[in-house]
Amino acid sequence: MAMGTVLAWTILLPLVGGVAIALIPQSGSKFARPVALLVTGVVLAMATWLWISFNPADPGMQFEIVRDWVPGLGTAFHLGVDGLSLPMLFLTAFLSLLAVIASARISEFTREYFTLILLLEAGLIGVFIALDLILFYVFWEVVLIPMFFLINIWGGPRRRYAAIKFFLYTLAGSLAMLGGIISLFLATGAQTFDMIALAPQAARLSLAAQTAIFTAIAFALAIKVPMVPLHTWLPDAHVEAPTAVSVLLAGVLLKMGSYGFLRFGPQLLPDGFERLVPLIALLGVVSIVYGAACALVQTDLKKLIAYSSVSHMGYVMLGIAAGTAAGVLGASVQMFSHGLIAGMAFLLVGAYYERAHTREISAFGGTARVAPILAGTLVFMSFASLGLPGMSGFIGEFMVVTGSFGPFTTYSAIAAFAVVLTAGYLLWMLRRVVFGQLNEARADMPDMTRTEAAAIFPLCIATLCIGVFPQVLVGVMEASVESVAKILGA
Amino acid sequence: MNTLPVLSIVALTPLAAAILIGAFGRGTQLPRVLALVAATICLAGSAWVWATYDRAAGGVQFVESVRWIPSLGISYIVGVDGISVPMLALMALVMFTGVLVSWNVDERPRLFFALLLLLVTGVFGVFVSVDAFLLFFFYEMAVVPMYLLIAIWGSTHKDYAAMKLTLFLFAGSALITIALALVYWQVGASTFDLRIWAGANFPPGFQRWVFLLMFVGFGTLVPIWPLHTWSPDGHVAAPTAVSMMHAGVLLKIGAYGVLRLGMTLFPEGLRDWALLIAIIGAINVVYGALCAMNQTDLKYVIGYSSVSHMGYVLLGFAMIDKFGLQGAVFQMFAHGIMTALFFALIGYVYEKSHTRQIADISGLMSRTPLVAAAFVIASAASMGLPSTSGFVAELLVYVGIIGRSPLLAAIAFVGVVVTAAYLIRMLGKILLGEPSQAVERIVDPSPVRLAPMGILAITIMTVGIFPATMYQTINAGIEPLLTKLMGG
Amino acid sequence: MADPTVALTFLAPEIIVALTGALVLVIDLIWIRSTDAPNTPRPWLAYLSIAGLGLAAGAVIGLAGVQTTLFEGIVILDPLSTFFKLLFLAIGMIVLLISVDPLPGFSKWSAEFFALIVWCTLGNMLLASAAELFTIFLCLQLTSLPLIVLIGYAKRDPLSSEASLKYLLLVLVSTAVLLYGMTLVYGALGTSTISEIGKVLAEQRLTPVLALGLVLLLTGFGFKITAVPFQYWVPDVYEGAPSPVTAFLSVGSKFAGFALALRIIVTGLDIPLNWHLIFGVMAALSMTLGNLGALRQTNIKRMLAYSGIAQAGYLLVGLAALSEMGIASLLFYTAAYGFANLLAFTAVIVFANATGSYEISDYAGLARRAPLASFALTVALLSLGGLPLLAGFMAKFYVFLFAAQAGLIWLVAVGVVNSVIALYYYLRVIWQLYVPEGSLDPISVAPRAGLAMSVCAVGVFAIGVFPEPVLRASQMAASALFGG
């Protein structure tokens, strides 16, 4: 089988699986999760296969596959991966499987739930491997609908508000992006939406045109990342979303934005990107500090993690803005790493919530005594998150800070110091949740279950692996990152 | 060439069936079975046309020509090009599903199906006519059955709505009558053959005013703002199958007429009025969406959303370029299928719960996941979300608009956001939450009722995911028009 | 054209009709003398009349190719006269058919009724052929006098008597006006033959006397064709007259007026007046006032009366074009309108027989009680409204098409706007038939009425779908008028 076909099947299989689950009769609801497990498992296997077959030395696209779609419009079904997208593909497959595992407790509308999860997976993977602008946009939007329903149906008490807010924010962004994409198409006059074919012509566009187009697209991307001040949908969505959905939301969905910056910026509209770099860097740093500051004052465990995501994604943006090889590489690693860590964080918060039916930090305390494994994992997650060496978070943030030191010395310094804030809110959280006086209400809190462990431990292992052997990840990325950095450096 | 007069079969089978039902259709079983048979024949015929239309060659194909009223040069000429082929397919689908949706009509089924089929003949006829008189003939034929269908089987304010609708349509056709007479004498060849008309060169002043007549005449049906007020009322009052045809297909006749008798004949006229059309289109989009936002009745929501969506068709027309036109035609098809699905769904919900008030309905998802899923698909298409037919259509229109006027594009985008807002709110309210009292008795529909929803939903997805064939068909249709618009 | 016997051959249809009327009366007399039950219905008398008219129609068709003038130009045979004669005969036959079944309030129709209708028809036929002013006058009297009797036939019905009196007054006035006009014209020009008038007028300037004469002449016809401003008598007379007579008035008399007007105006009045404008304004006013009047009516006969005024307006649109094809479209319109209007009246009579009412509000739910008759009325009204598959659509389209050719765009615009108004009140009746719930007792339709409706409906559909034969006939008639 050609590897291009495998690539296509990473999208098709979840789609087919999703439809299949939807068609299971009511009486067979209990098979929904096993089928979903099977599907996500196979997708992960395919992603692994792709990873192994990937040629790390080649900076260009690999495993390409092209099929006609709307020929007259010059848009085709064009897929492919390079060093930037492969890790994202793998991350999506990985987290999707874990999300399914973690959804054991879904009892209402089981079939619908897993159908939507699989559709979400298909959309997410599609975004990362689409090489046609319209196709990219299609998947970008496809993500919207399952996410909306996942939050709206299985979410918390204010789910409606959160879901609609999420939807409208993202949709407004998408429209700007669509406008940008179409303008790009028209401005180049290339009669094609193919990213690869369009790239040389797009790069030749005037500075003004590039800036205008990139601004429109960046608006959409920035909402997804999210960058302050466009982040306000995120805490609401996170808080209301069910655990597994939060995992995908923080773990993968946000990466769509930063991935988009890498794809559209240096590779399509370098001049427009350069023009916006100061703003991106500034907002990146603001996100880092503001996110961390907000996290510091949260009393809700999930909101805290949500704001920490804002903060961590700020590093990614700073790295991308820096444009140096180290910066971009750091950003890419941070994307992957944050996917793992945020996934872990939300799974843990979910576990805590299920035990206490509250996410108020004050409702916990001393949980290490009654649930040592759970508490220990929370500690582990916090250390990964604040960038302890030997864990993946360290690699990413370190590289970003060093990579951005050249172009943005001040920002880099602020970002470095912001780690203190991060440490602050995390450690303070640990002190209140894990250590200290045992809260009486939590006296009989059970420890981690096997299902939870099955979902969380793989993430811990992956975090450690990358922390210890970063070359596994960096090796795949390096060639592509070099080529990006070269464009920006030139 | 094939010798089977497939277009005549498609257009006239419903008429024959209507006469048969009128003459012999006692009881409830016979009328609906006959109607279904006719619908199946039409569907098969349209599918045949769809499959065998030579997209590479383009132009008008499957032509049948019979002299009809030779002393005036009127002939029965039917044929299809790339614009009418999708319309034919649309109508066949909506007819087939419409008959299924009406399967359980128990009030005067004989009259109902006879009128329904008469209406269908009129609509099919419009899409296959290559003779302007014939086109107008079929167009007028559809009006009265529509009136009676709404007046007898309708709901809310049916008398008022039916009369309003009929008078508006008739007023529109009054303008068309004048325009046809003027063109006939201007051409001076004693013929109504559109192919000959299209080859004629009209002086610019003539083009300007006659185009306006055609545009307003057919535009009433589109419906263009501010002549749209009959449309939501009509949608709401009509019985389900009629709403489906009405919003799904009848509005397209308006756009189709503007395209065929307006733009194709008078490219100069189109250029003169393009700005006006664009402005009206933009108003349609935004105003329709804002009105939809304020509605509490499901059918009104969709009724106004139709006003909004047809605005994109107008915008596409006004752009006078390849993408705009492609998008407009694509949107005609996409909107037809999507609205038909909406009305089929609302009709089902109303039948079971006896309410269409959004406030009274909630928790459909838990009562009937299939209907809920179809609602989601229809809404996604309505919002122009990817992998639905609505996406491709709106994408093409946007490509057209952005190239011409970023300002209009921005306005259209506002329309999209508002559309998303009202649909999402509506979906959230009716699908989710605890089932309300009104929906207690709703269950998954029976196969006969499910089939139309399934067919329409699948069409939406199929066309959205594999738009290439549709695209090529439409492209074959607008190619000559485009040459004329660009060259002239 | 010397030989009078030949001339009589050419008048065979008229002679047959005259004899039929006489025969019916005579047979009836004999019957009454020879039977014990003089009051039993005698429908076969009607059938006899119909047969006579049928025979006459055969004769007209047999003479269709003849184009000639008789008696030194006072009678003319041409395709135009053939067209109208056939139309009048058809109308006569259908009216006789629907007169067989007596209306409520009448114990019977007697032989005089049938004979009078036959003679009225004769008058109309002669009018179609008349080509000289005083012949025209005589023929007009021949149609008018029987009508006065017919309108007042329902003696016990005060409305009927009142209508009869009104019509009598109208006839007196219009006759006087006409006669005065004819005298003035004759005095000014020295000839009364229409073709001669045309020739003389072409060489002469328009004097005030002559102008007055022409105006009076046209006024006389105006009453006949019920166009504005000569329409005031119409609603009351139509409402009061027995329904079959109303049906006859609404088509037969009106068309006779048009037959005359056409001949005189086209062949006679070749003078530099803006006929387009004069007839255009008359047409526009007739359509508009007729339709607006009809909007307010609650009685179906009055509504049809006003609608008839409006329809006269559409016919005048064809006249206003004053081109060969314009006249052809007018002729086509008469045929289409004739069938549709007779169909409507037949259905109205059927309903009146069953419900005893002409109020539209009493039509509620009739579609369930009498589906075929309701369908017939629907078809008739929709045809009058100008919807496709039906004769009215084609007719309106042709009229407007050729008015546009003559440059009368404004008139076409008035016409199409009026079509919309008209549709409103036609649809309202249809709505009454189909939508509200009413009694469910079935209404039986007499076979004769059923036959009449079938004939008319077939006519309406046939002209609507295959208009070519009628169109060709009307073109021939019109071209004869212009060419010959």
PDB file of all heavy atoms in Angstrom, chain B residues 415-435:
ATOM      1  N   GLY B 415     -23.549  38.316   7.381  1.00  0.00           N
ATOM      2  CA  GLY B 415     -24.705  37.457   7.206  1.00  0.00           C
ATOM      3  C   GLY B 415     -24.426  36.040   7.675  1.00  0.00           C
ATOM      4  O   GLY B 415     -25.253  35.416   8.329  1.00  0.00           O
ATOM      5  N   VAL B 416     -23.251  35.549   7.353  1.00  0.00           N
ATOM      6  CA  VAL B 416     -22.934  34.176   7.746  1.00  0.00           C
ATOM      7  C   VAL B 416     -22.893  34.038   9.264  1.00  0.00           C
ATOM      8  O   VAL B 416     -23.419  33.074   9.829  1.00  0.00           O
ATOM      9  CB  VAL B 416     -21.581  33.747   7.163  1.00  0.00           C
ATOM     10  CG1 VAL B 416     -21.217  32.370   7.673  1.00  0.00           C
ATOM     11  CG2 VAL B 416     -21.647  33.750   5.667  1.00  0.00           C
ATOM     12  N   VAL B 417     -22.285  35.019   9.902  1.00  0.00           N
ATOM     13  CA  VAL B 417     -22.181  34.912  11.354  1.00  0.00           C
ATOM     14  C   VAL B 417     -23.568  34.953  11.984  1.00  0.00           C
ATOM     15  O   VAL B 417     -23.881  34.167  12.887  1.00  0.00           O
ATOM     16  CB  VAL B 417     -21.291  36.039  11.915  1.00  0.00           C
ATOM     17  CG1 VAL B 417     -21.267  35.979  13.422  1.00  0.00           C
ATOM     18  CG2 VAL B 417     -19.897  35.911  11.368  1.00  0.00           C
ATOM     19  N   VAL B 418     -24.408  35.853  11.471  1.00  0.00           N
ATOM     20  CA  VAL B 418     -25.760  35.925  12.029  1.00  0.00           C
ATOM     21  C   VAL B 418     -26.498  34.606  11.773  1.00  0.00           C
ATOM     22  O   VAL B 418     -27.185  34.081  12.652  1.00  0.00           O
ATOM     23  CB  VAL B 418     -26.533  37.113  11.428  1.00  0.00           C
ATOM     24  CG1 VAL B 418     -27.929  37.162  11.995  1.00  0.00           C
ATOM     25  CG2 VAL B 418     -25.808  38.403  11.707  1.00  0.00           C
ATOM     26  N   THR B 419     -26.310  34.086  10.565  1.00  0.00           N
ATOM     27  CA  THR B 419     -26.940  32.799  10.248  1.00  0.00           C
ATOM     28  C   THR B 419     -26.511  31.740  11.249  1.00  0.00           C
ATOM     29  O   THR B 419     -27.328  31.000  11.800  1.00  0.00           O
ATOM     30  CB  THR B 419     -26.528  32.344   8.834  1.00  0.00           C
ATOM     31  OG1 THR B 419     -26.849  33.367   7.922  1.00  0.00           O
ATOM     32  CG2 THR B 419     -27.239  31.066   8.455  1.00  0.00           C
ATOM     33  N   ALA B 420     -25.218  31.669  11.458  1.00  0.00           N
ATOM     34  CA  ALA B 420     -24.714  30.675  12.404  1.00  0.00           C
ATOM     35  C   ALA B 420     -25.330  30.903  13.769  1.00  0.00           C
ATOM     36  O   ALA B 420     -25.746  29.965  14.447  1.00  0.00           O
ATOM     37  CB  ALA B 420     -23.202  30.772  12.489  1.00  0.00           C
ATOM     38  N   ALA B 421     -25.439  32.167  14.139  1.00  0.00           N
ATOM     39  CA  ALA B 421     -25.945  32.456  15.479  1.00  0.00           C
ATOM     40  C   ALA B 421     -27.369  31.952  15.634  1.00  0.00           C
ATOM     41  O   ALA B 421     -27.689  31.255  16.594  1.00  0.00           O
ATOM     42  CB  ALA B 421     -25.871  33.956  15.748  1.00  0.00           C
ATOM     43  N   TYR B 422     -28.242  32.278  14.657  1.00  0.00           N
ATOM     44  CA  TYR B 422     -29.627  31.855  14.888  1.00  0.00           C
ATOM     45  C   TYR B 422     -29.797  30.358  14.741  1.00  0.00           C
ATOM     46  O   TYR B 422     -30.610  29.751  15.427  1.00  0.00           O
ATOM     47  CB  TYR B 422     -30.629  32.659  14.055  1.00  0.00           C
ATOM     48  CG  TYR B 422     -30.638  32.477  12.559  1.00  0.00           C
ATOM     49  CD1 TYR B 422     -31.143  31.329  11.974  1.00  0.00           C
ATOM     50  CD2 TYR B 422     -30.186  33.490  11.732  1.00  0.00           C
ATOM     51  CE1 TYR B 422     -31.174  31.186  10.598  1.00  0.00           C
ATOM     52  CE2 TYR B 422     -30.215  33.360  10.356  1.00  0.00           C
ATOM     53  CZ  TYR B 422     -30.707  32.196   9.798  1.00  0.00           C
ATOM     54  OH  TYR B 422     -30.734  32.056   8.445  1.00  0.00           O
ATOM     55  N   LEU B 423     -29.026  29.757  13.834  1.00  0.00           N
ATOM     56  CA  LEU B 423     -29.187  28.310  13.677  1.00  0.00           C
ATOM     57  C   LEU B 423     -28.662  27.561  14.889  1.00  0.00           C
ATOM     58  O   LEU B 423     -29.287  26.614  15.369  1.00  0.00           O
ATOM     59  CB  LEU B 423     -28.474  27.847  12.411  1.00  0.00           C
ATOM     60  CG  LEU B 423     -29.240  28.180  11.133  1.00  0.00           C
ATOM     61  CD1 LEU B 423     -28.407  27.842   9.922  1.00  0.00           C
ATOM     62  CD2 LEU B 423     -30.559  27.422  11.097  1.00  0.00           C
ATOM     63  N   ILE B 424     -27.511  28.012  15.353  1.00  0.00           N
ATOM     64  CA  ILE B 424     -26.924  27.322  16.491  1.00  0.00           C
ATOM     65  C   ILE B 424     -27.826  27.452  17.707  1.00  0.00           C
ATOM     66  O   ILE B 424     -28.053  26.498  18.455  1.00  0.00           O
ATOM     67  CB  ILE B 424     -25.533  27.929  16.781  1.00  0.00           C
ATOM     68  CG1 ILE B 424     -24.522  27.341  15.816  1.00  0.00           C
ATOM     69  CG2 ILE B 424     -25.102  27.681  18.189  1.00  0.00           C
ATOM     70  CD1 ILE B 424     -24.255  25.888  16.047  1.00  0.00           C
ATOM     71  N   ARG B 425     -28.378  28.653  17.869  1.00  0.00           N
ATOM     72  CA  ARG B 425     -29.276  28.850  18.995  1.00  0.00           C
ATOM     73  C   ARG B 425     -30.494  27.933  18.871  1.00  0.00           C
ATOM     74  O   ARG B 425     -30.914  27.286  19.818  1.00  0.00           O
ATOM     75  CB  ARG B 425     -29.717  30.308  19.028  1.00  0.00           C
ATOM     76  CG  ARG B 425     -29.940  30.818  20.413  1.00  0.00           C
ATOM     77  CD  ARG B 425     -30.335  32.256  20.360  1.00  0.00           C
ATOM     78  NE  ARG B 425     -31.377  32.469  19.357  1.00  0.00           N
ATOM     79  CZ  ARG B 425     -32.059  33.598  19.239  1.00  0.00           C
ATOM     80  NH1 ARG B 425     -31.789  34.588  20.040  1.00  0.00           N
ATOM     81  NH2 ARG B 425     -32.980  33.745  18.337  1.00  0.00           N
ATOM     82  N   MET B 426     -31.000  27.895  17.644  1.00  0.00           N
ATOM     83  CA  MET B 426     -32.174  27.059  17.417  1.00  0.00           C
ATOM     84  C   MET B 426     -31.853  25.590  17.669  1.00  0.00           C
ATOM     85  O   MET B 426     -32.579  24.886  18.374  1.00  0.00           O
ATOM     86  CB  MET B 426     -32.652  27.247  15.974  1.00  0.00           C
ATOM     87  CG  MET B 426     -33.841  26.420  15.604  1.00  0.00           C
ATOM     88  SD  MET B 426     -34.152  26.526  13.826  1.00  0.00           S
ATOM     89  CE  MET B 426     -33.229  25.134  13.221  1.00  0.00           C
ATOM     90  N   LEU B 427     -30.741  25.147  17.113  1.00  0.00           N
ATOM     91  CA  LEU B 427     -30.363  23.750  17.297  1.00  0.00           C
ATOM     92  C   LEU B 427     -30.207  23.428  18.774  1.00  0.00           C
ATOM     93  O   LEU B 427     -30.719  22.432  19.266  1.00  0.00           O
ATOM     94  CB  LEU B 427     -29.028  23.469  16.604  1.00  0.00           C
ATOM     95  CG  LEU B 427     -29.063  23.261  15.109  1.00  0.00           C
ATOM     96  CD1 LEU B 427     -27.687  22.830  14.641  1.00  0.00           C
ATOM     97  CD2 LEU B 427     -30.080  22.206  14.742  1.00  0.00           C
ATOM     98  N   GLY B 428     -29.472  24.300  19.443  1.00  0.00           N
ATOM     99  CA  GLY B 428     -29.223  24.061  20.857  1.00  0.00           C
ATOM    100  C   GLY B 428     -30.530  23.917  21.606  1.00  0.00           C
ATOM    101  O   GLY B 428     -30.708  23.014  22.421  1.00  0.00           O
ATOM    102  N   LYS B 429     -31.475  24.789  21.256  1.00  0.00           N
ATOM    103  CA  LYS B 429     -32.730  24.778  21.990  1.00  0.00           C
ATOM    104  C   LYS B 429     -33.555  23.534  21.687  1.00  0.00           C
ATOM    105  O   LYS B 429     -34.058  22.865  22.590  1.00  0.00           O
ATOM    106  CB  LYS B 429     -33.531  26.037  21.639  1.00  0.00           C
ATOM    107  CG  LYS B 429     -34.898  26.113  22.271  1.00  0.00           C
ATOM    108  CD  LYS B 429     -34.803  26.254  23.780  1.00  0.00           C
ATOM    109  CE  LYS B 429     -36.170  26.182  24.422  1.00  0.00           C
ATOM    110  NZ  LYS B 429     -36.778  24.874  24.331  1.00  0.00           N
ATOM    111  N   ILE B 430     -33.714  23.206  20.429  1.00  0.00           N
ATOM    112  CA  ILE B 430     -34.676  22.142  20.129  1.00  0.00           C
ATOM    113  C   ILE B 430     -34.072  20.748  20.246  1.00  0.00           C
ATOM    114  O   ILE B 430     -34.790  19.802  20.514  1.00  0.00           O
ATOM    115  CB  ILE B 430     -35.313  22.313  18.734  1.00  0.00           C
ATOM    116  CG1 ILE B 430     -34.282  22.167  17.644  1.00  0.00           C
ATOM    117  CG2 ILE B 430     -36.038  23.642  18.611  1.00  0.00           C
ATOM    118  CD1 ILE B 430     -34.926  22.087  16.278  1.00  0.00           C
ATOM    119  N   LEU B 431     -32.777  20.631  20.029  1.00  0.00           N
ATOM    120  CA  LEU B 431     -32.216  19.277  20.041  1.00  0.00           C
ATOM    121  C   LEU B 431     -31.823  18.828  21.436  1.00  0.00           C
ATOM    122  O   LEU B 431     -31.971  17.669  21.795  1.00  0.00           O
ATOM    123  CB  LEU B 431     -30.991  19.198  19.132  1.00  0.00           C
ATOM    124  CG  LEU B 431     -31.214  19.486  17.666  1.00  0.00           C
ATOM    125  CD1 LEU B 431     -29.965  19.144  16.887  1.00  0.00           C
ATOM    126  CD2 LEU B 431     -32.383  18.677  17.135  1.00  0.00           C
ATOM    127  N   LEU B 432     -31.296  19.773  22.200  1.00  0.00           N
ATOM    128  CA  LEU B 432     -30.659  19.354  23.439  1.00  0.00           C
ATOM    129  C   LEU B 432     -31.579  19.560  24.624  1.00  0.00           C
ATOM    130  O   LEU B 432     -32.709  20.016  24.477  1.00  0.00           O
ATOM    131  CB  LEU B 432     -29.363  20.143  23.612  1.00  0.00           C
ATOM    132  CG  LEU B 432     -28.467  20.069  22.380  1.00  0.00           C
ATOM    133  CD1 LEU B 432     -27.250  20.929  22.555  1.00  0.00           C
ATOM    134  CD2 LEU B 432     -28.066  18.637  22.117  1.00  0.00           C
ATOM    135  N   GLY B 433     -31.085  19.229  25.752  1.00  0.00           N
ATOM    136  CA  GLY B 433     -31.853  19.423  26.976  1.00  0.00           C
ATOM    137  C   GLY B 433     -32.830  18.286  27.215  1.00  0.00           C
ATOM    138  O   GLY B 433     -32.845  17.274  26.524  1.00  0.00           O
ATOM    139  N   GLU B 434     -33.660  18.493  28.223  1.00  0.00           N
ATOM    140  CA  GLU B 434     -34.671  17.495  28.557  1.00  0.00           C
ATOM    141  C   GLU B 434     -35.799  17.578  27.535  1.00  0.00           C
ATOM    142  O   GLU B 434     -36.193  18.665  27.141  1.00  0.00           O
ATOM    143  CB  GLU B 434     -35.233  17.788  29.949  1.00  0.00           C
ATOM    144  CG  GLU B 434     -34.292  17.428  31.081  1.00  0.00           C
ATOM    145  CD  GLU B 434     -33.947  15.944  31.081  1.00  0.00           C
ATOM    146  OE1 GLU B 434     -34.880  15.115  31.083  1.00  0.00           O
ATOM    147  OE2 GLU B 434     -32.744  15.625  31.039  1.00  0.00           O
ATOM    148  N   PRO B 435     -36.341  16.453  27.123  1.00  0.00           N
ATOM    149  CA  PRO B 435     -37.474  16.510  26.197  1.00  0.00           C
ATOM    150  C   PRO B 435     -38.634  17.289  26.805  1.00  0.00           C
ATOM    151  O   PRO B 435     -39.002  17.052  27.955  1.00  0.00           O
ATOM    152  CB  PRO B 435     -37.856  15.043  26.010  1.00  0.00           C
ATOM    153  CG  PRO B 435     -36.661  14.277  26.410  1.00  0.00           C
ATOM    154  CD  PRO B 435     -35.929  15.096  27.433  1.00  0.00           C
TER     155      PRO B 435
END
